[in-house]
Amino acid sequence: MSTTDTYYIPHKATWPVIGTAGLLTMLAGFANYLNGSSIGPTMMVLGLVIFIIMLTGWFTLQATESESGMYSTQVGISYRMGMMWFIFSEIVFFAVFFGTLWYTRNLSVPWLGGEGTGAATKELLWPSFDATWPTNGPKALGVDESGARKFGAELEPMGAWGLPFLNTLILLSSGVTVTWAHHGLLAKNRDQLIKGLIATVALGFLFVSFQAYEYHEAYTEMGLTLGSGIYGSTFFMLTGFHGLHVCIGAIILSVVLFRSWKGHFNPENHFAFEAAAWYWHFVDVVWLGLFIFVYLL
Amino acid sequence: MSAVVAEHDDHHDDHAHGPAKGLLRWVITTNHKDIGTLYLVFSLAMFFVGGAMAMIIRAELFEPGLQFVQPQFFNSMTTMHALVMVFGAVMPAFVGLANWMIPMMIGAPDMALPRMNNMSFWMLVAGISLLASTLFMEGGSPAGGWTMYPPLMLQTGKALPFAIFAVHLLGISSIMGSINIIATIFNMRAPGMTLMKMPLFVWTWLITAFLLIAIMPVFAGAVTMLLTDKFFGTSFFDAAGGGDPVLYEHIFWFFGHPEVYVMILPAFGVTSTIIPVFARKPLFGYSSMVYATASIAFLSFIVWAHHMFTVGMPIAGELYFMYATMLIAIPTGVKVFNWTATMWKGSMTFETPMLFSIAFVVLFTMGGFTGLMMSIAPSDFQYHDTYFIVAHFHYTLVPAAVFSLMAAGYYWLPKWTGHMYNEKIGQLHFWLSAVSVNILFFPQHFLGLAGMPRRIPDYAVQFADWNMISSIGGFIFGASQLLFLYIVIDTIRGGTGEKVTDEVWEDAHKHGLEWTLPSPPPYHTFTTPPAVIPTEHI
Ligand code: HEM
Ligand SMILES: [Cu+2]
């Protein structure tokens, strides 16, 4: 419950500059690393440390202010709008990679195989390329049944019904547990809140571990890598960015869990919880899209 | 219409905070006016950095042959000029105006998310610094054009990852800024300030902010794939791996076309704000302006491939993108009509902001017409990648977007500083700019129609005359902008010495809440919302 009606406007902010400096150092370090410069990794670690310090500091500040009732309902609305549009921008980011998958799979790979107006393309570039999906592209050389050379080696796709299906169940249940935690929060049942959050975070990390295992299999057993043509590119880009977002979501939820354990939040005032839950549902929905378009179809 | 009672109770507000002392004030500020100033000063600086690059380009093109720079460096200059101007000058300048004006226009105490406001400014500085650092790198800064098409872009030297991460940082900055603007407009309006009473500048920024949130992640995604194609073995844009370089163009222009509207919609807002004041009439067709802006924004998402007519699209695609693009002319026409109708039978005066705004209407329309010419797919086969398109977008960007920024500067400087600028020098600045910008860009239409390609350091002798004229126009235009710099500094330091009134321009209080505040406005305004709001701008 807000104890104030004036819109809280902080008068000085040091964390934003520190955070920016951290991110800049991290990215400049990464760029140096990619260019083969030896100071790259050091800069990255330094930047990451600064960034984590910023996150801790800024989150603590917000939590303290929130708990001391400095945020009116109107401030809460601003935060909710901010989170909503942030998630929207993330959805757009994923849409780019889904779009890429759609375009290559349904348009450009068939064109390479001679479909539409691509007949000359096929004839002139890679006449024996088989435009099937999944493909690792014409540059991968293979041999067909008769022993003749052909373009586009066999590629084993990642199956849907093993780990990925299990991961689907895991994420869906985590959506249930976070809602259960929310009900606990609303009913002032802190025990349920904390248990629900612990379950959600645990399921999140379980998901990530399974995915790590899947990647390991892909790289060592199946020969499926980022370099496996367009299939490998889209597969790892989509699942990789999603996995990263699961990690971020799980970390946010851990912070919320920590705060719940410290006794923060009440039925009227729990923006951080809501934001984390929204984010988690977003990650959930993206996964459903992945399961259908990357694994199943 | 109702009288204005604006309460700004800073004088008796005992917990009012002034700015922090010293330089640190600017680093840690959360005040919308301070951050607005930071954005404006930064963008003015970048305007001159990008301008210097343009001067190098025009100097090299003054005569055929290679005079001053190597071709690789020349291409770096065209690339960096565009990136610096788009992301460092024009966009931040409009964000600066938004920061300063939106809270004052809607009667809000500040932006909705002040800490994030600070962060989005510093992210901008970080992004531009990363980009600028590439100038000093092995292999030079990116030279593949601001569109960064692969595979050419992938030949960039050490600069590539830096440029890509710069785009990421600039994207984060824009998204944060936009989220802030949306939250401010939806959540911070004074009671009575309904959506359809908002000044058009606020409306156009609201719509622009939506555009930005929907497109910056797209650009970020595109360059991320460039990065992995180069360093992690993916083949998104490589046909040998099953990818397609044309895919990059689709993604880029899905971002790129709305992006050009990001630079013009707030300019529409500025023009719609200024013309009524100096025509002494309410804006003609307020609601049609709002709907036209929204339609333009919507259409901007479904016309992107008009940048790719020559890429080898299926004929159905050519036709669709041709007709869809032509549609944009309709809402754009509505706007031009409304501005003209606002001036019709008005008792007009021609102070510098008005001059720049009228030039905006005329010269933007020129750019719109050449756009229409290029939207005709078969004709565009001739225009594409020639100086004709360079002329087109410079008309929409320089005498349009940049002129509107100049207009906004002259219009609001007295409010911001409390001092009047020197009108004589202002008018001189206007006339020099307006004449030279046409000497600079009009001949480029002829060059393009005659077949001179864009992005080349050398050209056939038949193009020599118009290039020389264009360069002369460019040098005059560049030099004239120093007048603006002088005026800004002079006005901040006292200007003509004349103390300006609260409303500065005759009857301006009928046109916006900002004119009911003192000039300069107190550090915190509207800590309690203004009781009654003016409605006469409808
Ligand atoms: C009246 C509506 C407009 C139409 C119909 C239109 C049409 C076009 C077309 C067809 C092209 C592609 C030309 C080619 O590459 O062959 C183009 C390029 C361009 N337009 Fe417009 N345009 C319009 C308004 C604008 C506005 C308002 C801006 C910016 C404020 C703008 C900025 C640009 C830019 C920057 C490019 C070139 C991008 C590049 O290739 O580097 N246009 N326009
Ligand atoms: Cu366009």
Side-chain angles (χ1 to χ4, degrees):
Chain A
M1 201 185 324
S2 55
T3 52
T4 169
D5 280 328
T6 50
Y7 196 92
Y8 173 63
I9 292 166
H11 289 284
K12 294 179 180 73
T14 37
W15 294 119
V17 211
I18 296 174
T20 308
L23 193 59
L24 179 62
T25 315
M26 207 159 36
L27 287 177
F30 191 26
N32 272 314
Y33 164 75
L34 291 174
N35 283 337
S37 148
S38 57
I39 54 162
T42 323
M43 282 175 76
M44 282 165 75
V45 173
L46 180 69
L48 185 68
V49 170
I50 300 176
F51 198 75
I52 291 174
I53 293 174
M54 178 278 289
L55 282 181
T56 321
W58 199 337
F59 279 177
T60 312
L61 177 67
Q62 297 282 138
T64 322
E65 287 178 353
S66 171
E67 287 306 306
S68 54
M70 284 157 83
Y71 298 160
S72 62
T73 321
Q74 199 188 4
V75 175
I77 294 176
S78 290
Y79 287 153
R80 282 172 181 75
M81 284 184 176
M83 192 65 196
M84 243 170 61
W85 290 107
F86 167 63
I87 291 178
F88 177 77
S89 76
E90 291 264 50
I91 293 174
V92 177
F93 186 71
F94 275 99
V96 176
F97 300 112
F98 277 108
T100 298
L101 175 62
W102 178 83
Y103 179 96
T104 49
R105 185 171 175 174
N106 295 305
L107 298 176
S108 67
V109 168
W111 287 337
L112 278 178
E115 230 178 65
T117 51
T121 309
K122 178 181 167 78
E123 229 27 72
L124 294 171
L125 287 178
W126 295 283
S128 54
F129 172 59
D130 257 345
T132 51
W133 190 267
T135 179
N136 46 12
K139 75 174 171 211
L141 293 175
V143 180
D144 69 11
E145 303 81 48
S146 64
R149 211 163 78 110
K150 69 166 197 164
F151 292 99
E154 291 299 314
L155 185 69
E156 193 189 338
M158 188 56 82
W161 295 111
L163 270 186
F165 183 64
L166 189 61
N167 261 348
T168 309
L169 295 181
I170 291 176
L171 268 198
L172 286 180
S173 351
S174 76
V176 175
T177 53
V178 80
T179 310
W180 188 65
H182 197 185
H183 283 301
L185 173 54
L186 293 178
K188 298 201 174 157
N189 182 345
R190 191 148 297 264
D191 193 44
Q192 182 178 334
L193 167 64
I194 292 179
K195 278 187 188 143
L197 281 173
I198 291 179
T200 314
V201 173
L203 286 169
F205 284 118
L206 189 63
F207 174 95
V208 177
S209 336
F210 278 160
Q211 187 158 3
Y213 179 74
E214 182 194 70
Y215 275 19
H216 182 74
E217 288 278 283
Y219 264 78
T220 54
E221 307 285 320
M222 301 165 63
L224 175 61
T225 69
L226 263 176
S228 307
I230 192 65
Y231 178 76
S233 307
T234 48
F235 174 81
F236 283 106
M237 199 70 142
L238 275 160
T239 54
F241 268 116
H242 176 262
L244 181 69
H245 282 75
V246 176
C247 291
I248 297 172
I251 292 171
I252 302 178
L253 281 169
S254 313
V255 174
V256 170
L257 170 62
F258 177 71
R259 286 186 58 186
S260 309
W261 172 70
K262 294 268 274 186
H264 291 193
F265 308 127
N266 58 49
E268 287 80 33
N269 180 14
H270 53 271
F271 161 70
F273 181 96
E274 270 179 68
W278 289 348
Y279 196 81
W280 197 250
H281 289 310
F282 144 72
V283 169
D284 217 358
V285 170
V286 170
W287 174 258
L288 288 182
L290 284 181
F291 185 67
I292 295 172
F293 292 110
V294 175
Y295 291 96
L296 212 51
L297 294 181
Chain B
M1 309 256 155
S2 38
V4 181
V5 185
E7 263 187 68
H8 26 85
D9 59 352
D10 251 52
H11 319 289
H12 51 85
D13 188 1
D14 50 10
H15 58 263
H17 295 249
K21 296 272 174 302
L23 271 184
L24 199 60
R25 158 183 179 180
W26 300 102
V27 180
I28 60 173
T29 182
T30 52
N31 180 282
H32 73 103
K33 300 188 185 80
D34 280 357
I35 295 176
T37 306
L38 284 172
Y39 266 108
L40 289 170
V41 169
F42 183 78
S43 66
L44 189 61
M46 287 305 120
F47 180 60
F48 284 101
V49 172
M53 293 171 178
M55 293 299 105
I56 295 177
I57 294 171
R58 279 325 313 174
E60 181 55 54
L61 293 176
F62 188 71
E63 283 181 335
L66 292 179
Q67 278 79 334
F68 302 107
V69 295
Q70 292 305 308
Q72 168 78 18
F73 185 72
F74 180 90
N75 287 340
S76 281
M77 282 298 103
T78 54
T79 307
M80 292 293 278
H81 162 72
L83 290 170
V84 168
M85 284 303 198
V86 170
F87 294 103
V90 175
M91 288 169 65
F94 281 122
V95 180
L97 292 180
N99 258 298
W100 253 101
M101 302 319 300
I102 290 178
M104 297 200 324
M105 285 176 156
I106 62 175
D110 204 300
M111 296 295 280
L113 303 159
R115 288 189 180 115
M116 199 169 77
N117 205 9
N118 175 295
M119 193 164 194
S120 59
F121 174 74
W122 289 109
M123 286 281 182
L124 165 73
V125 177
I128 296 287
S129 313
L130 218 47
L131 187 65
S133 71
T134 63
L135 281 167
F136 312 101
M137 274 171 202
E138 205 182 308
S141 51
W146 79 287
T147 52
M148 305 189 190
Y149 285 179
L152 183 62
M153 186 64 184
L154 298 179
Q155 295 174 13
T156 308
K158 297 232 184 280
L160 185 69
F162 289 91
I164 288 175
F165 294 143
V167 169
H168 286 138
L169 288 173
L170 295 169
I172 296 174
S173 163
S174 291
I175 290 172
M176 289 207 249
S178 303
I179 288 178
N180 217 338
I181 286 171
I182 292 179
T184 306
I185 296 176
F186 279 144
N187 194 31
M188 306 287 284
R189 275 170 294 133
M193 178 60 78
T194 57
L195 285 177
M196 288 312 267
K197 277 186 190 163
M198 294 194 312
L200 261 170
F201 179 72
V202 182
W203 256 114
T204 50
W205 242 118
L206 177 63
I207 293 169
T208 304
F210 282 123
L211 285 187
L212 276 171
I213 299 184
I215 61 170
M216 291 314 296
V218 176
F219 193 19
V223 295
T224 305
M225 290 190 269
L226 281 183
L227 187 81
T228 58
D229 267 15
K230 172 86 175 186
F231 293 104
F232 298 98
T234 58
S235 18
F236 290 109
F237 308 129
D238 178 6
D244 185 358
V246 175
L247 170 62
Y248 177 88
E249 299 189 23
H250 280 293
I251 304 176
F252 179 85
W253 286 113
F254 185 85
F255 148 80
H257 186 79
E259 167 66 21
V260 306
Y261 283 95
V262 163
M263 293 186 280
I264 204 70
L265 292 185
F268 289 169
V270 168
T271 310
S272 308
T273 307
I274 292 179
I275 288 183
V277 173
F278 296 92
R280 291 171 182 73
K281 276 176 65 192
L283 181 69
F284 183 89
Y286 172 88
S287 49
S288 68
M289 283 300 214
V290 173
Y291 298 131
T293 312
S295 328
I296 292 177
F298 169 74
L299 287 173
S300 74
F301 282 108
I302 55 169
V303 298
W304 74 88
H306 63 221
H307 295 271
M308 305 164 55
F309 281 141
T310 60
V311 90
M313 274 188 295
I315 191 84
E318 301 270 331
L319 287 174
Y320 163 73
F321 283 107
M322 169 165 117
Y323 291 125
T325 302
M326 289 176 178
L327 278 183
I328 299 194
I330 299 170
T332 312
V334 169
K335 294 201 149 263
V336 174
F337 179 86
N338 286 349
W339 291 321
T340 319
T342 306
M343 289 187 272
W344 180 253
K345 292 193 172 167
S347 42
M348 293 208 279
T349 50
F350 300 94
E351 287 87 347
T352 315
M354 183 63 163
L355 289 173
F356 272 107
S357 293
I358 295 176
F360 170 96
V361 176
V362 176
L363 297 175
F364 171 73
T365 306
M366 280 282 315
F369 278 143
T370 49
L372 214 49
M373 287 172 70
M374 297 188 305
S375 70
I376 303 166
S379 310
D380 187 61
F381 276 59
Q382 171 73 14
Y383 311 141
H384 181 64
D385 264 353
T386 69
Y387 256 83
F388 191 80
I389 168 193
V390 177
H392 157 69
F393 66 74
H394 280 95
Y395 263 89
T396 57
L397 286 169
V398 184
V402 172
F403 270 25
S404 87
L405 285 166
M406 298 290 173
Y410 285 106
Y411 182 61
W412 281 311
L413 255 182
K415 169 59 60 187
W416 297 332
T417 60
H419 307 301
M420 198 61 196
Y421 64 86
N422 185 322
E423 182 67 39
K424 274 218 181 67
I425 308 186
Q427 304 234 352
L428 180 67
H429 172 223
F430 168 76
W431 285 109
L432 279 173
S433 303
V435 171
S436 62
V437 86
N438 284 292
I439 304 177
L440 166 57
F441 293 122
F442 208 83
Q444 297 185 357
H445 291 119
F446 310 142
L447 288 169
L449 292 178
M452 177 168 159
R454 68 192 283 205
R455 293 173 176 154
I456 42 121
D458 187 9
Y459 48 81
V461 282
Q462 84 229 36
F463 303 128
D465 295 351
W466 288 122
N467 265 303
M468 192 175 282
I469 292 173
S470 177
S471 287
I472 291 171
F475 300 143
I476 304 177
F477 184 80
S480 322
Q481 301 322 306
L482 296 172
L483 281 178
F484 184 67
L485 184 64
Y486 167 77
I487 291 176
V488 170
I489 295 173
D490 179 59
T491 311
I492 293 172
R493 302 180 58 191
T496 56
E498 178 193 341
K499 186 80 191 92
V500 294
T501 59
D502 289 2
E503 64 172 21
V504 183
W505 312 105
E506 193 184 29
D507 277 349
H509 69 268
K510 290 181 188 162
H511 296 272
L513 274 181
E514 76 264 34
W515 305 110
T516 65
L517 295 165
S519 312
Y523 195 57
H524 295 287
T525 35
F526 299 130
T527 38
T528 49
V532 189
I533 56 139
T535 50
E536 286 207 18
H537 63 268
I538 308 265

